[in-house]
Amino acid sequence: MEITEIQRYQIALERLKQLSDIKFGKPLLIQTLMGNLRVLHSNHIGYFKYISTKKSWEIALTDGSFVRLKGNLRAKNLCAYNDRFIQIHQSYIINIQYLCMIQNNHCIMYPPFHHINELCISQKYKKVLTTYFYQL
């Protein structure tokens, strides 16, 4: 028996509904560079990094892997998706739940992102980040 495109779509929607269980929060449905759809939860995302040479965003996941997104996304779209995603630099958006402290304009993250030292905070985004961080 062959599965039609409509049936595949219905199966994918059903899986998405299952994944949107309250304990996981609202899932993020992303399209990868290769055109595949992937469902991620915000607690699996540590930060987003913009790769200027490739003109696309990359997601750092808790399992140590990276997922590159299609190039047509903007930072404001990523930040608007979930209030945990805060832009700290033109090229970086962090998941605030992994932010341990702010030290010398750098974000110190909780594991598994504690070894990342490239998360610099630019002056443009520092006030918003510190205000949000201290409200937690």
Side-chain angles (χ1 to χ4, degrees), residues 34-47:
M34 301 306 288
N36 299 320
L37 292 177
R38 186 162 177 187
V39 177
L40 296 171
H41 292 281
S42 62
N43 58 333
H44 294 143
I45 298 170
Y47 63 93

Side-chain angles (χ1 to χ4, degrees), residues 99-108 119-121 126 133-134:
L99 181 61
C100 177
M101 76 170 98
I102 299 169
Q103 184 178 55
N104 299 327
N105 291 331
H106 281 79
C107 291
I108 309 298
L119 300 173
C120 298
I121 305 163
K126 186 173 184 176
F133 182 64
Y134 292 126

Side-chain angles (χ1 to χ4, degrees), residues 11-66:
I11 291 167
L13 280 178
E14 187 57 38
R15 286 183 185 158
L16 184 60
K17 287 177 188 175
Q18 292 170 359
L19 290 173
S20 65
D21 185 0
I22 292 173
K23 72 177 187 175
F24 290 114
K26 182 180 168 187
L28 175 64
L29 182 64
I30 58 147
Q31 187 170 17
T32 65
L33 188 64
M34 301 306 288
N36 299 320
L37 292 177
R38 186 162 177 187
V39 177
L40 296 171
H41 292 281
S42 62
N43 58 333
H44 294 143
I45 298 170
Y47 63 93
F48 298 84
K49 178 181 181 179
Y50 187 73
I51 311 297
S52 59
T53 57
K54 300 185 190 237
K55 295 186 171 133
S56 65
W57 286 93
E58 186 175 75
I59 303 174
L61 300 175
T62 54
D63 66 2
S65 65
F66 292 87

Side-chain angles (χ1 to χ4, degrees), residues 83-136:
D83 61 354
R84 292 180 181 176
F85 301 150
I86 306 292
Q87 188 161 13
I88 62 166
H89 187 275
Q90 184 177 349
S91 300
Y92 292 100
I93 298 169
I94 63 165
N95 183 340
I96 196 91
Q97 88 179 40
Y98 287 104
L99 181 61
C100 177
M101 76 170 98
I102 299 169
Q103 184 178 55
N104 299 327
N105 291 331
H106 281 79
C107 291
I108 309 298
M109 308 290 275
Y110 285 114
F113 304 104
H114 60 284
H115 65 282
I116 306 298
N117 57 10
E118 62 185 302
L119 300 173
C120 298
I121 305 163
S122 70
Q123 286 300 112
K124 180 178 178 180
Y125 300 102
K126 186 173 184 176
K127 185 176 181 180
V128 173
L129 174 66
T130 53
T131 302
Y132 194 89
F133 182 64
Y134 292 126
Q135 288 177 355
L136 294 177

